[in-house]
DNA sequence: AGAATACCAAGCGATTTAGTTGGAATTAAA
DNA sequence: TTTAATTCCAACTAAATCGCTTGGTATTCT
């Protein structure tokens, strides 16, 4: 039940961009460097996020990427679903799936649905803005000590 | 974020055994047939569950497997953790892990922790007995219609 | 003109998954 | 006492997936 690097790196990259929201385009190599990721690999993830409308890009020198919406309007769920697909622990509870129509007997399906719902509740309730706020809170805590 | 077949088949097998709890050993081929799984593959999963104390076995003719405890004392979480490992979406939130001690900066880690906690809450709250009860409820609903 | 960037598609080694195969040990039943 | 049914164990394997890398094109600022 692990996330792949797609989801994990993708969230890190989006968080990095949230940190600089409103400051114009940030080039990919900067993001990759700050988060310690392969630029070439990250490119694939970022290109998906752009196609899905969560990022804007500017080509050419001084170009880069920026969030397409405010950090408060992008959730962890948005990002993970784009990069990892539907967050379902089994194929039979993937949205709009057609297979497995023998719902009558399958008690295990109820279990997978509950897992899926709880995951989605969490990730849809956390926005990038929430993560920024959390970071600020953590920094304050650290100062006290 | 999919479960592997280990967790999925394993839960089905354990549920099948719960259906016949107290009736003596059930041979593996019966379980495999009823749930439509490969007997040889299932053997590996079942052997893990036995080693971890959730199943008892009887060797020889008329032998088979049976739950080592009452269905109400075995949770979905028990089964999934044995077969899938710690239910953590990322390595940095696996129990007792040593890597990633840079907790101070990593906001994403907080996200993975919340996902992990919500998954574990769900799977630890569902016992095999709950699944049996659910099945009974579903059967009753069906009769009404 | 040149450098810095985004964009695109294909390839690729390593690992994991989902089994299979082949056998040895044990036990009930014929 | 043989035979059939079963658990138990370890090794092997084909296919898929993962986590990238490579190589190139298009665009835009300086």
């Amino acid at each position: 039940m692990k996330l792949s690097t797609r989801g994990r790196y993708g969230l890190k990259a989006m968080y990095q961009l949230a940190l600089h929201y409103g400051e114009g385009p940030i080039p990919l190599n900067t993001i990759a460097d700050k988060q310690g990721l392969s630029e070439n690999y990250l490119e694939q993830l970022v290109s998906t996020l752009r196609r899905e409308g969560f990022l804007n890009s500017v080509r050419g020198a001084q170009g880069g990427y920026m969030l397409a919406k405010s950090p408060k309007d992008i959730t962890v769920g948005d990002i993970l679903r784009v990069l990892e697909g539907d967050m379902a622990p089994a194929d039979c509870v993937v949205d709009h799936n057609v297979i497995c129509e023998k719902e009558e007997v399958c008690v295990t399906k109820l279990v997978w649905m509950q897992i899926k719902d709880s995951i989605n509740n969490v990730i849809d309730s956390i926005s990038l803005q929430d993560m920024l706020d959390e970071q600020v809170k953590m920094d304050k805590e650290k100062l006290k000590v």
Side-chain angles (χ1 to χ4, degrees), chain A residues 97-130:
Chain A
N97 92 312
V98 259
I99 346 164
C100 182
E101 288 312 337
K102 51 164 190 172
E103 325 200 12
E104 349 94 30
V105 266
C106 204
V107 200
T108 51
K109 182 171 179 176
L110 296 177
V111 174
W112 310 145
M113 279 174 59
Q114 289 185 63
I115 295 175
K116 174 179 172 169
D117 288 346
S118 84
I119 293 172
N120 281 308
N121 273 338
V122 169
I123 65 182
D124 288 336
S125 75
I126 307 175
S127 68
L128 288 176
Q129 185 62 53
D130 293 329

Side-chain angles (χ1 to χ4, degrees), chain A residues 68-143:
Chain A
K69 320 177 196 179
S70 157
K72 71 177 194 312
D73 294 324
I74 300 178
T75 67
V76 172
D78 292 331
I79 298 163
L80 293 185
R81 268 186 298 268
V82 160
L83 294 172
E84 298 271 345
D86 195 29
M87 295 289 282
D91 282 335
C92 68
V93 292
V94 165
D95 275 357
H96 318 303
N97 92 312
V98 259
I99 346 164
C100 182
E101 288 312 337
K102 51 164 190 172
E103 325 200 12
E104 349 94 30
V105 266
C106 204
V107 200
T108 51
K109 182 171 179 176
L110 296 177
V111 174
W112 310 145
M113 279 174 59
Q114 289 185 63
I115 295 175
K116 174 179 172 169
D117 288 346
S118 84
I119 293 172
N120 281 308
N121 273 338
V122 169
I123 65 182
D124 288 336
S125 75
I126 307 175
S127 68
L128 288 176
Q129 185 62 53
D130 293 329
M131 292 177 67
L132 294 173
D133 295 346
E134 198 62 42
Q135 181 69 64
V136 169
K137 222 168 83 184
M138 283 166 65
D139 291 346
K140 273 187 190 157
E141 289 297 319
K142 208 176 163 189
L143 275 179

